[in-house]
Amino acid sequence: MDDIVARIRSKLAAACTEPVPRPRTFVRAPGGQRLGTPLSEERVVAYETAHDARLPRSYRTFLREIGNGGIGPDYGLLPLTRWSAHDIPDPSQQLGHVFALEPTDSVASDWARLRDAQTSPYAGTHAVVHRGCLEMTLLVVSGPARGRLLDANLGDLAAPPVFHPQPDFLTWYEHWLDTLPGGRLIPDFRDQRHGSSDELIDILTTSGSPEERRAATYTLGGRHPLTDRARDVLVQALADDPDRGVRMDAARALAELDSEAAPVLASALKDPDHWVRRRALAYLLRVSNDETTYGAAARELLQDENPNARMAATNLLHRAGWTSSQHR
C-alpha cells in the first residue's frame, strides 16, 4: 500500500502545478489547500468509535497519509465529518449498519428489494463526493461490497446505484488522477472521454448511446476555449437531446465556458424534466444578475409541478434576491 500512496502523492503534485480549471466546481480544503491535513490515528479511531464502525482500510490510509477532503472528482472529496451529506436519518446510528447490495448483474432487482425493505436503503455507506444536486458518490463501509464506491441519486431512490469498477478507495482515486487529460485537473473522471473536440462533437451528434453522449458533453465542458461549433452543438443538445443527463451537462458546460449563455439557460427553464429545470435555474443565476430580463421566467418555477423543483427555486431565488412583491 505504500507504493500506491507514493504514486498518488506524486501524480497529485504533478496535476496541481497549474491553476485548477473551473474552480467554482471544486471543494478545496481550509486555507485554499488542495487536500486537508491528514488525520491522526487517534482522530480516526475516535470517529469510528463514535459511529460504531470500522472504515475500510484503503480509505483509512488515504485519510491518515494523504489528506482529509479537498481536490477530487466532481465537487471534490468531502472531509470525514461530512459523511452524512446524503442525509441519512440519525446518522450516528446508521454508519455501522450493513449495506446489503452487491455489485452483481442483478443490481437493479436486488436494489428494488432492498429499497422496499428498508427505510434508509443507503445505511452502511459513507458520502465521499458530492456530484451535484442530490447525486453522491458513496463508499460502502459495511456489507458484502465493503470498500467499493458507487454513485447514487438520493433524490430518486427508484434508480439503482452504479458501482465503480475499482476495488477500493486508493485505486479509485489514483484512477481519477490517471484519467486526467494531460495530467490536468478536471472535475469528473467516470464520464470523461478521450478525443479531440471535433471527435467529441461527432459522438454527441451521432451516437445512439446516452452514456457516450453524456461523456462527450461533460468532456467538452472542460475544453478551453469553447469553439463556435462546440457551442452550437451544446446549445442543440440542451434543447433536444432525449437524455436528461446530456441536457444537464450541456447546461453546465455552457454556463462555465460561454459568457453569453444566459438566454439559452433561460430557455431550459421550460425543459420537460424537473432536474434539468432546476439545473438550468442554478446556472442561470450563476451567470446573470439580470432579473429584469429573466426574473419572470425564473419565478415560474415557484409554481412548478414538481415539489422539489419548487423548493429549489424558492431557495435559489431568495439567495439571488430575485423576488417580486407577490412572491415575498
Side-chain angles (χ1 to χ4, degrees), residues 171-204:
T171 306
W172 171 82
Y173 192 80
E174 184 180 27
H175 177 67
W176 173 64
L177 290 170
D178 286 342
T179 54
L180 299 179
R184 295 180 294 105
L185 284 169
I186 52 174
D188 202 307
F189 77 92
R190 186 173 63 88
D191 294 328
Q192 285 297 316
R193 180 90 184 194
H194 292 290
S196 67
S197 291
D198 285 340
E199 289 171 332
L200 295 171
I201 289 170
D202 289 341
I203 292 170
L204 179 53

PDB file of all heavy atoms in Angstrom, residues 171-204:
ATOM      1  N   THR A 171      -7.306   2.940  -5.107  1.00  0.00           N
ATOM      2  CA  THR A 171      -7.282   2.598  -6.535  1.00  0.00           C
ATOM      3  C   THR A 171      -8.210   3.516  -7.312  1.00  0.00           C
ATOM      4  O   THR A 171      -7.885   3.966  -8.419  1.00  0.00           O
ATOM      5  CB  THR A 171      -7.701   1.141  -6.736  1.00  0.00           C
ATOM      6  OG1 THR A 171      -6.895   0.296  -5.926  1.00  0.00           O
ATOM      7  CG2 THR A 171      -7.544   0.727  -8.187  1.00  0.00           C
ATOM      8  N   TRP A 172      -9.356   3.819  -6.731  1.00  0.00           N
ATOM      9  CA  TRP A 172     -10.329   4.720  -7.351  1.00  0.00           C
ATOM     10  C   TRP A 172      -9.750   6.122  -7.519  1.00  0.00           C
ATOM     11  O   TRP A 172      -9.858   6.729  -8.591  1.00  0.00           O
ATOM     12  CB  TRP A 172     -11.581   4.729  -6.478  1.00  0.00           C
ATOM     13  CG  TRP A 172     -12.625   5.743  -6.800  1.00  0.00           C
ATOM     14  CD1 TRP A 172     -13.595   5.666  -7.751  1.00  0.00           C
ATOM     15  CD2 TRP A 172     -12.830   7.005  -6.123  1.00  0.00           C
ATOM     16  NE1 TRP A 172     -14.395   6.792  -7.718  1.00  0.00           N
ATOM     17  CE2 TRP A 172     -13.946   7.622  -6.731  1.00  0.00           C
ATOM     18  CE3 TRP A 172     -12.177   7.638  -5.066  1.00  0.00           C
ATOM     19  CZ2 TRP A 172     -14.421   8.860  -6.307  1.00  0.00           C
ATOM     20  CZ3 TRP A 172     -12.649   8.880  -4.646  1.00  0.00           C
ATOM     21  CH2 TRP A 172     -13.758   9.473  -5.277  1.00  0.00           C
ATOM     22  N   TYR A 173      -9.123   6.645  -6.469  1.00  0.00           N
ATOM     23  CA  TYR A 173      -8.580   7.996  -6.544  1.00  0.00           C
ATOM     24  C   TYR A 173      -7.402   8.057  -7.516  1.00  0.00           C
ATOM     25  O   TYR A 173      -7.277   9.012  -8.287  1.00  0.00           O
ATOM     26  CB  TYR A 173      -8.135   8.451  -5.151  1.00  0.00           C
ATOM     27  CG  TYR A 173      -7.829   9.936  -5.072  1.00  0.00           C
ATOM     28  CD1 TYR A 173      -8.848  10.869  -4.949  1.00  0.00           C
ATOM     29  CD2 TYR A 173      -6.517  10.396  -5.110  1.00  0.00           C
ATOM     30  CE1 TYR A 173      -8.578  12.230  -4.871  1.00  0.00           C
ATOM     31  CE2 TYR A 173      -6.230  11.754  -5.033  1.00  0.00           C
ATOM     32  CZ  TYR A 173      -7.265  12.668  -4.909  1.00  0.00           C
ATOM     33  OH  TYR A 173      -6.982  14.014  -4.844  1.00  0.00           O
ATOM     34  N   GLU A 174      -6.558   7.032  -7.531  1.00  0.00           N
ATOM     35  CA  GLU A 174      -5.453   7.017  -8.476  1.00  0.00           C
ATOM     36  C   GLU A 174      -5.979   6.942  -9.906  1.00  0.00           C
ATOM     37  O   GLU A 174      -5.411   7.560 -10.822  1.00  0.00           O
ATOM     38  CB  GLU A 174      -4.512   5.844  -8.207  1.00  0.00           C
ATOM     39  CG  GLU A 174      -3.286   5.868  -9.120  1.00  0.00           C
ATOM     40  CD  GLU A 174      -2.326   4.720  -8.885  1.00  0.00           C
ATOM     41  OE1 GLU A 174      -2.775   3.639  -8.429  1.00  0.00           O
ATOM     42  OE2 GLU A 174      -1.126   4.889  -9.170  1.00  0.00           O
ATOM     43  N   HIS A 175      -7.062   6.199 -10.119  1.00  0.00           N
ATOM     44  CA  HIS A 175      -7.653   6.112 -11.451  1.00  0.00           C
ATOM     45  C   HIS A 175      -8.114   7.492 -11.913  1.00  0.00           C
ATOM     46  O   HIS A 175      -7.943   7.845 -13.084  1.00  0.00           O
ATOM     47  CB  HIS A 175      -8.817   5.131 -11.444  1.00  0.00           C
ATOM     48  CG  HIS A 175      -9.531   5.024 -12.756  1.00  0.00           C
ATOM     49  ND1 HIS A 175      -8.952   4.493 -13.874  1.00  0.00           N
ATOM     50  CD2 HIS A 175     -10.786   5.393 -13.123  1.00  0.00           C
ATOM     51  CE1 HIS A 175      -9.812   4.543 -14.886  1.00  0.00           C
ATOM     52  NE2 HIS A 175     -10.936   5.088 -14.448  1.00  0.00           N
ATOM     53  N   TRP A 176      -8.708   8.258 -11.007  1.00  0.00           N
ATOM     54  CA  TRP A 176      -9.105   9.624 -11.363  1.00  0.00           C
ATOM     55  C   TRP A 176      -7.889  10.425 -11.819  1.00  0.00           C
ATOM     56  O   TRP A 176      -7.934  11.098 -12.855  1.00  0.00           O
ATOM     57  CB  TRP A 176      -9.774  10.304 -10.169  1.00  0.00           C
ATOM     58  CG  TRP A 176     -10.059  11.760 -10.407  1.00  0.00           C
ATOM     59  CD1 TRP A 176     -10.902  12.285 -11.344  1.00  0.00           C
ATOM     60  CD2 TRP A 176      -9.489  12.869  -9.723  1.00  0.00           C
ATOM     61  NE1 TRP A 176     -10.887  13.659 -11.272  1.00  0.00           N
ATOM     62  CE2 TRP A 176     -10.034  14.045 -10.287  1.00  0.00           C
ATOM     63  CE3 TRP A 176      -8.572  12.974  -8.665  1.00  0.00           C
ATOM     64  CZ2 TRP A 176      -9.688  15.311  -9.840  1.00  0.00           C
ATOM     65  CZ3 TRP A 176      -8.232  14.240  -8.209  1.00  0.00           C
ATOM     66  CH2 TRP A 176      -8.784  15.389  -8.801  1.00  0.00           C
ATOM     67  N   LEU A 177      -6.807  10.348 -11.078  1.00  0.00           N
ATOM     68  CA  LEU A 177      -5.597  11.074 -11.459  1.00  0.00           C
ATOM     69  C   LEU A 177      -5.062  10.589 -12.804  1.00  0.00           C
ATOM     70  O   LEU A 177      -4.610  11.380 -13.628  1.00  0.00           O
ATOM     71  CB  LEU A 177      -4.528  10.908 -10.380  1.00  0.00           C
ATOM     72  CG  LEU A 177      -4.795  11.628  -9.054  1.00  0.00           C
ATOM     73  CD1 LEU A 177      -3.792  11.172  -8.005  1.00  0.00           C
ATOM     74  CD2 LEU A 177      -4.744  13.134  -9.217  1.00  0.00           C
ATOM     75  N   ASP A 178      -5.122   9.285 -13.043  1.00  0.00           N
ATOM     76  CA  ASP A 178      -4.585   8.720 -14.288  1.00  0.00           C
ATOM     77  C   ASP A 178      -5.391   9.118 -15.506  1.00  0.00           C
ATOM     78  O   ASP A 178      -4.871   9.116 -16.629  1.00  0.00           O
ATOM     79  CB  ASP A 178      -4.538   7.188 -14.196  1.00  0.00           C
ATOM     80  CG  ASP A 178      -3.424   6.688 -13.303  1.00  0.00           C
ATOM     81  OD1 ASP A 178      -2.489   7.466 -13.031  1.00  0.00           O
ATOM     82  OD2 ASP A 178      -3.496   5.529 -12.866  1.00  0.00           O
ATOM     83  N   THR A 179      -6.662   9.416 -15.320  1.00  0.00           N
ATOM     84  CA  THR A 179      -7.511   9.736 -16.463  1.00  0.00           C
ATOM     85  C   THR A 179      -7.649  11.236 -16.707  1.00  0.00           C
ATOM     86  O   THR A 179      -8.368  11.644 -17.612  1.00  0.00           O
ATOM     87  CB  THR A 179      -8.918   9.135 -16.286  1.00  0.00           C
ATOM     88  OG1 THR A 179      -9.458   9.549 -15.032  1.00  0.00           O
ATOM     89  CG2 THR A 179      -8.877   7.621 -16.326  1.00  0.00           C
ATOM     90  N   LEU A 180      -6.933  12.047 -15.935  1.00  0.00           N
ATOM     91  CA  LEU A 180      -6.954  13.482 -16.202  1.00  0.00           C
ATOM     92  C   LEU A 180      -6.254  13.744 -17.528  1.00  0.00           C
ATOM     93  O   LEU A 180      -5.133  13.286 -17.742  1.00  0.00           O
ATOM     94  CB  LEU A 180      -6.230  14.240 -15.084  1.00  0.00           C
ATOM     95  CG  LEU A 180      -6.814  14.095 -13.680  1.00  0.00           C
ATOM     96  CD1 LEU A 180      -5.973  14.872 -12.683  1.00  0.00           C
ATOM     97  CD2 LEU A 180      -8.252  14.571 -13.641  1.00  0.00           C
ATOM     98  N   PRO A 181      -6.900  14.455 -18.450  1.00  0.00           N
ATOM     99  CA  PRO A 181      -6.272  14.692 -19.759  1.00  0.00           C
ATOM    100  C   PRO A 181      -5.003  15.525 -19.626  1.00  0.00           C
ATOM    101  O   PRO A 181      -5.031  16.640 -19.112  1.00  0.00           O
ATOM    102  CB  PRO A 181      -7.356  15.443 -20.548  1.00  0.00           C
ATOM    103  CG  PRO A 181      -8.234  16.045 -19.506  1.00  0.00           C
ATOM    104  CD  PRO A 181      -8.203  15.107 -18.333  1.00  0.00           C
ATOM    105  N   GLY A 182      -3.890  14.976 -20.061  1.00  0.00           N
ATOM    106  CA  GLY A 182      -2.624  15.684 -19.973  1.00  0.00           C
ATOM    107  C   GLY A 182      -2.193  15.952 -18.547  1.00  0.00           C
ATOM    108  O   GLY A 182      -1.384  16.837 -18.291  1.00  0.00           O
ATOM    109  N   GLY A 183      -2.728  15.189 -17.593  1.00  0.00           N
ATOM    110  CA  GLY A 183      -2.384  15.406 -16.203  1.00  0.00           C
ATOM    111  C   GLY A 183      -3.042  16.614 -15.575  1.00  0.00           C
ATOM    112  O   GLY A 183      -2.731  16.982 -14.449  1.00  0.00           O
ATOM    113  N   ARG A 184      -3.988  17.271 -16.297  1.00  0.00           N
ATOM    114  CA  ARG A 184      -4.633  18.473 -15.782  1.00  0.00           C
ATOM    115  C   ARG A 184      -5.870  18.116 -14.973  1.00  0.00           C
ATOM    116  O   ARG A 184      -6.596  17.183 -15.305  1.00  0.00           O
ATOM    117  CB  ARG A 184      -5.024  19.415 -16.927  1.00  0.00           C
ATOM    118  CG  ARG A 184      -3.844  19.983 -17.681  1.00  0.00           C
ATOM    119  CD  ARG A 184      -4.293  20.912 -18.806  1.00  0.00           C
ATOM    120  NE  ARG A 184      -5.023  20.200 -19.848  1.00  0.00           N
ATOM    121  CZ  ARG A 184      -6.326  20.253 -20.017  1.00  0.00           C
ATOM    122  NH1 ARG A 184      -7.070  20.960 -19.207  1.00  0.00           N
ATOM    123  NH2 ARG A 184      -6.908  19.577 -20.993  1.00  0.00           N
ATOM    124  N   LEU A 185      -6.100  18.866 -13.918  1.00  0.00           N
ATOM    125  CA  LEU A 185      -7.245  18.609 -13.068  1.00  0.00           C
ATOM    126  C   LEU A 185      -8.552  18.953 -13.769  1.00  0.00           C
ATOM    127  O   LEU A 185      -8.692  20.010 -14.374  1.00  0.00           O
ATOM    128  CB  LEU A 185      -7.147  19.438 -11.781  1.00  0.00           C
ATOM    129  CG  LEU A 185      -6.159  18.918 -10.735  1.00  0.00           C
ATOM    130  CD1 LEU A 185      -5.964  19.970  -9.663  1.00  0.00           C
ATOM    131  CD2 LEU A 185      -6.651  17.632 -10.120  1.00  0.00           C
ATOM    132  N   ILE A 186      -9.506  18.050 -13.682  1.00  0.00           N
ATOM    133  CA  ILE A 186     -10.861  18.266 -14.172  1.00  0.00           C
ATOM    134  C   ILE A 186     -11.806  17.664 -13.142  1.00  0.00           C
ATOM    135  O   ILE A 186     -11.399  16.802 -12.357  1.00  0.00           O
ATOM    136  CB  ILE A 186     -11.098  17.588 -15.539  1.00  0.00           C
ATOM    137  CG1 ILE A 186     -10.689  16.111 -15.474  1.00  0.00           C
ATOM    138  CG2 ILE A 186     -10.346  18.314 -16.635  1.00  0.00           C
ATOM    139  CD1 ILE A 186     -11.015  15.348 -16.719  1.00  0.00           C
ATOM    140  N   PRO A 187     -13.059  18.084 -13.084  1.00  0.00           N
ATOM    141  CA  PRO A 187     -13.939  17.611 -12.021  1.00  0.00           C
ATOM    142  C   PRO A 187     -14.272  16.121 -12.077  1.00  0.00           C
ATOM    143  O   PRO A 187     -14.092  15.407 -11.118  1.00  0.00           O
ATOM    144  CB  PRO A 187     -15.198  18.462 -12.194  1.00  0.00           C
ATOM    145  CG  PRO A 187     -14.738  19.660 -12.927  1.00  0.00           C
ATOM    146  CD  PRO A 187     -13.662  19.182 -13.843  1.00  0.00           C
ATOM    147  N   ASP A 188     -14.786  15.635 -13.174  1.00  0.00           N
ATOM    148  CA  ASP A 188     -15.303  14.271 -13.222  1.00  0.00           C
ATOM    149  C   ASP A 188     -14.334  13.370 -13.961  1.00  0.00           C
ATOM    150  O   ASP A 188     -13.600  13.813 -14.819  1.00  0.00           O
ATOM    151  CB  ASP A 188     -16.651  14.255 -13.951  1.00  0.00           C
ATOM    152  CG  ASP A 188     -17.480  13.034 -13.598  1.00  0.00           C
ATOM    153  OD1 ASP A 188     -16.954  11.920 -13.735  1.00  0.00           O
ATOM    154  OD2 ASP A 188     -18.637  13.194 -13.197  1.00  0.00           O
ATOM    155  N   PHE A 189     -14.309  12.091 -13.605  1.00  0.00           N
ATOM    156  CA  PHE A 189     -13.495  11.162 -14.383  1.00  0.00           C
ATOM    157  C   PHE A 189     -14.308  10.003 -14.918  1.00  0.00           C
ATOM    158  O   PHE A 189     -13.995   9.453 -15.958  1.00  0.00           O
ATOM    159  CB  PHE A 189     -12.323  10.623 -13.557  1.00  0.00           C
ATOM    160  CG  PHE A 189     -12.692   9.557 -12.571  1.00  0.00           C
ATOM    161  CD1 PHE A 189     -12.618   8.224 -12.924  1.00  0.00           C
ATOM    162  CD2 PHE A 189     -13.100   9.871 -11.292  1.00  0.00           C
ATOM    163  CE1 PHE A 189     -12.957   7.229 -12.027  1.00  0.00           C
ATOM    164  CE2 PHE A 189     -13.428   8.882 -10.389  1.00  0.00           C
ATOM    165  CZ  PHE A 189     -13.359   7.562 -10.753  1.00  0.00           C
ATOM    166  N   ARG A 190     -15.380   9.635 -14.240  1.00  0.00           N
ATOM    167  CA  ARG A 190     -16.122   8.458 -14.686  1.00  0.00           C
ATOM    168  C   ARG A 190     -16.716   8.689 -16.064  1.00  0.00           C
ATOM    169  O   ARG A 190     -16.842   7.766 -16.871  1.00  0.00           O
ATOM    170  CB  ARG A 190     -17.230   8.138 -13.682  1.00  0.00           C
ATOM    171  CG  ARG A 190     -17.958   6.836 -13.980  1.00  0.00           C
ATOM    172  CD  ARG A 190     -18.919   6.489 -12.861  1.00  0.00           C
ATOM    173  NE  ARG A 190     -19.948   7.481 -12.715  1.00  0.00           N
ATOM    174  CZ  ARG A 190     -21.109   7.454 -13.387  1.00  0.00           C
ATOM    175  NH1 ARG A 190     -21.340   6.503 -14.252  1.00  0.00           N
ATOM    176  NH2 ARG A 190     -22.006   8.389 -13.197  1.00  0.00           N
ATOM    177  N   ASP A 191     -17.081   9.953 -16.361  1.00  0.00           N
ATOM    178  CA  ASP A 191     -17.729  10.254 -17.626  1.00  0.00           C
ATOM    179  C   ASP A 191     -16.801  10.900 -18.647  1.00  0.00           C
ATOM    180  O   ASP A 191     -17.261  11.410 -19.658  1.00  0.00           O
ATOM    181  CB  ASP A 191     -18.928  11.192 -17.384  1.00  0.00           C
ATOM    182  CG  ASP A 191     -20.020  10.518 -16.578  1.00  0.00           C
ATOM    183  OD1 ASP A 191     -20.168   9.298 -16.724  1.00  0.00           O
ATOM    184  OD2 ASP A 191     -20.705  11.206 -15.824  1.00  0.00           O
ATOM    185  N   GLN A 192     -15.502  10.898 -18.368  1.00  0.00           N
ATOM    186  CA  GLN A 192     -14.586  11.528 -19.312  1.00  0.00           C
ATOM    187  C   GLN A 192     -14.414  10.679 -20.564  1.00  0.00           C
ATOM    188  O   GLN A 192     -14.505   9.449 -20.527  1.00  0.00           O
ATOM    189  CB  GLN A 192     -13.223  11.764 -18.675  1.00  0.00           C
ATOM    190  CG  GLN A 192     -13.216  12.922 -17.695  1.00  0.00           C
ATOM    191  CD  GLN A 192     -13.535  14.242 -18.360  1.00  0.00           C
ATOM    192  OE1 GLN A 192     -13.029  14.540 -19.430  1.00  0.00           O
ATOM    193  NE2 GLN A 192     -14.375  15.045 -17.717  1.00  0.00           N
ATOM    194  N   ARG A 193     -14.128  11.346 -21.666  1.00  0.00           N
ATOM    195  CA  ARG A 193     -13.959  10.674 -22.950  1.00  0.00           C
ATOM    196  C   ARG A 193     -12.719  11.244 -23.629  1.00  0.00           C
ATOM    197  O   ARG A 193     -12.549  12.454 -23.732  1.00  0.00           O
ATOM    198  CB  ARG A 193     -15.184  10.941 -23.834  1.00  0.00           C
ATOM    199  CG  ARG A 193     -15.133  10.289 -25.200  1.00  0.00           C
ATOM    200  CD  ARG A 193     -15.742   8.916 -25.162  1.00  0.00           C
ATOM    201  NE  ARG A 193     -15.616   8.237 -26.432  1.00  0.00           N
ATOM    202  CZ  ARG A 193     -16.300   7.135 -26.736  1.00  0.00           C
ATOM    203  NH1 ARG A 193     -17.140   6.625 -25.876  1.00  0.00           N
ATOM    204  NH2 ARG A 193     -16.144   6.547 -27.893  1.00  0.00           N
ATOM    205  N   HIS A 194     -11.832  10.384 -24.073  1.00  0.00           N
ATOM    206  CA  HIS A 194     -10.653  10.836 -24.797  1.00  0.00           C
ATOM    207  C   HIS A 194     -11.044  11.226 -26.227  1.00  0.00           C
ATOM    208  O   HIS A 194     -11.987  10.696 -26.796  1.00  0.00           O
ATOM    209  CB  HIS A 194      -9.586   9.741 -24.829  1.00  0.00           C
ATOM    210  CG  HIS A 194      -8.994   9.453 -23.484  1.00  0.00           C
ATOM    211  ND1 HIS A 194      -8.177  10.340 -22.829  1.00  0.00           N
ATOM    212  CD2 HIS A 194      -9.114   8.377 -22.670  1.00  0.00           C
ATOM    213  CE1 HIS A 194      -7.807   9.824 -21.670  1.00  0.00           C
ATOM    214  NE2 HIS A 194      -8.364   8.640 -21.548  1.00  0.00           N
ATOM    215  N   GLY A 195     -10.294  12.154 -26.799  1.00  0.00           N
ATOM    216  CA  GLY A 195     -10.531  12.567 -28.176  1.00  0.00           C
ATOM    217  C   GLY A 195     -10.464  14.074 -28.328  1.00  0.00           C
ATOM    218  O   GLY A 195     -10.549  14.834 -27.349  1.00  0.00           O
ATOM    219  N   SER A 196     -10.324  14.516 -29.558  1.00  0.00           N
ATOM    220  CA  SER A 196     -10.304  15.944 -29.855  1.00  0.00           C
ATOM    221  C   SER A 196     -11.710  16.518 -29.703  1.00  0.00           C
ATOM    222  O   SER A 196     -12.707  15.786 -29.623  1.00  0.00           O
ATOM    223  CB  SER A 196      -9.802  16.169 -31.277  1.00  0.00           C
ATOM    224  OG  SER A 196     -10.746  15.652 -32.212  1.00  0.00           O
ATOM    225  N   SER A 197     -11.794  17.845 -29.710  1.00  0.00           N
ATOM    226  CA  SER A 197     -13.114  18.482 -29.616  1.00  0.00           C
ATOM    227  C   SER A 197     -14.007  18.071 -30.782  1.00  0.00           C
ATOM    228  O   SER A 197     -15.207  17.817 -30.603  1.00  0.00           O
ATOM    229  CB  SER A 197     -12.965  20.004 -29.582  1.00  0.00           C
ATOM    230  OG  SER A 197     -12.374  20.418 -28.369  1.00  0.00           O
ATOM    231  N   ASP A 198     -13.438  17.979 -31.978  1.00  0.00           N
ATOM    232  CA  ASP A 198     -14.240  17.565 -33.131  1.00  0.00           C
ATOM    233  C   ASP A 198     -14.733  16.137 -32.979  1.00  0.00           C
ATOM    234  O   ASP A 198     -15.876  15.817 -33.345  1.00  0.00           O
ATOM    235  CB  ASP A 198     -13.420  17.704 -34.417  1.00  0.00           C
ATOM    236  CG  ASP A 198     -13.280  19.155 -34.865  1.00  0.00           C
ATOM    237  OD1 ASP A 198     -14.100  19.989 -34.421  1.00  0.00           O
ATOM    238  OD2 ASP A 198     -12.359  19.456 -35.645  1.00  0.00           O
ATOM    239  N   GLU A 199     -13.892  15.262 -32.435  1.00  0.00           N
ATOM    240  CA  GLU A 199     -14.318  13.874 -32.222  1.00  0.00           C
ATOM    241  C   GLU A 199     -15.426  13.804 -31.176  1.00  0.00           C
ATOM    242  O   GLU A 199     -16.385  13.022 -31.314  1.00  0.00           O
ATOM    243  CB  GLU A 199     -13.113  13.034 -31.798  1.00  0.00           C
ATOM    244  CG  GLU A 199     -12.103  12.794 -32.916  1.00  0.00           C
ATOM    245  CD  GLU A 199     -10.816  12.159 -32.429  1.00  0.00           C
ATOM    246  OE1 GLU A 199     -10.450  12.363 -31.245  1.00  0.00           O
ATOM    247  OE2 GLU A 199     -10.162  11.462 -33.227  1.00  0.00           O
ATOM    248  N   LEU A 200     -15.315  14.619 -30.136  1.00  0.00           N
ATOM    249  CA  LEU A 200     -16.348  14.637 -29.105  1.00  0.00           C
ATOM    250  C   LEU A 200     -17.664  15.172 -29.670  1.00  0.00           C
ATOM    251  O   LEU A 200     -18.742  14.657 -29.346  1.00  0.00           O
ATOM    252  CB  LEU A 200     -15.894  15.501 -27.931  1.00  0.00           C
ATOM    253  CG  LEU A 200     -14.685  14.985 -27.147  1.00  0.00           C
ATOM    254  CD1 LEU A 200     -14.211  16.046 -26.161  1.00  0.00           C
ATOM    255  CD2 LEU A 200     -15.014  13.691 -26.420  1.00  0.00           C
ATOM    256  N   ILE A 201     -17.572  16.183 -30.510  1.00  0.00           N
ATOM    257  CA  ILE A 201     -18.773  16.724 -31.150  1.00  0.00           C
ATOM    258  C   ILE A 201     -19.446  15.667 -32.014  1.00  0.00           C
ATOM    259  O   ILE A 201     -20.679  15.528 -32.009  1.00  0.00           O
ATOM    260  CB  ILE A 201     -18.404  17.964 -31.983  1.00  0.00           C
ATOM    261  CG1 ILE A 201     -18.043  19.131 -31.058  1.00  0.00           C
ATOM    262  CG2 ILE A 201     -19.548  18.364 -32.910  1.00  0.00           C
ATOM    263  CD1 ILE A 201     -17.440  20.314 -31.774  1.00  0.00           C
ATOM    264  N   ASP A 202     -18.643  14.899 -32.741  1.00  0.00           N
ATOM    265  CA  ASP A 202     -19.212  13.834 -33.575  1.00  0.00           C
ATOM    266  C   ASP A 202     -19.939  12.800 -32.725  1.00  0.00           C
ATOM    267  O   ASP A 202     -21.019  12.313 -33.099  1.00  0.00           O
ATOM    268  CB  ASP A 202     -18.101  13.163 -34.387  1.00  0.00           C
ATOM    269  CG  ASP A 202     -17.556  14.065 -35.493  1.00  0.00           C
ATOM    270  OD1 ASP A 202     -18.255  15.033 -35.861  1.00  0.00           O
ATOM    271  OD2 ASP A 202     -16.442  13.803 -35.980  1.00  0.00           O
ATOM    272  N   ILE A 203     -19.361  12.459 -31.580  1.00  0.00           N
ATOM    273  CA  ILE A 203     -20.016  11.498 -30.682  1.00  0.00           C
ATOM    274  C   ILE A 203     -21.336  12.069 -30.180  1.00  0.00           C
ATOM    275  O   ILE A 203     -22.373  11.389 -30.170  1.00  0.00           O
ATOM    276  CB  ILE A 203     -19.095  11.162 -29.493  1.00  0.00           C
ATOM    277  CG1 ILE A 203     -17.878  10.375 -29.973  1.00  0.00           C
ATOM    278  CG2 ILE A 203     -19.856  10.367 -28.422  1.00  0.00           C
ATOM    279  CD1 ILE A 203     -16.808  10.200 -28.915  1.00  0.00           C
ATOM    280  N   LEU A 204     -21.312  13.325 -29.774  1.00  0.00           N
ATOM    281  CA  LEU A 204     -22.516  13.947 -29.221  1.00  0.00           C
ATOM    282  C   LEU A 204     -23.635  14.032 -30.246  1.00  0.00           C
ATOM    283  O   LEU A 204     -24.812  13.905 -29.917  1.00  0.00           O
ATOM    284  CB  LEU A 204     -22.170  15.341 -28.687  1.00  0.00           C
ATOM    285  CG  LEU A 204     -23.304  16.170 -28.085  1.00  0.00           C
ATOM    286  CD1 LEU A 204     -24.039  15.397 -27.005  1.00  0.00           C
ATOM    287  CD2 LEU A 204     -22.755  17.478 -27.538  1.00  0.00           C
TER     288      LEU A 204
END
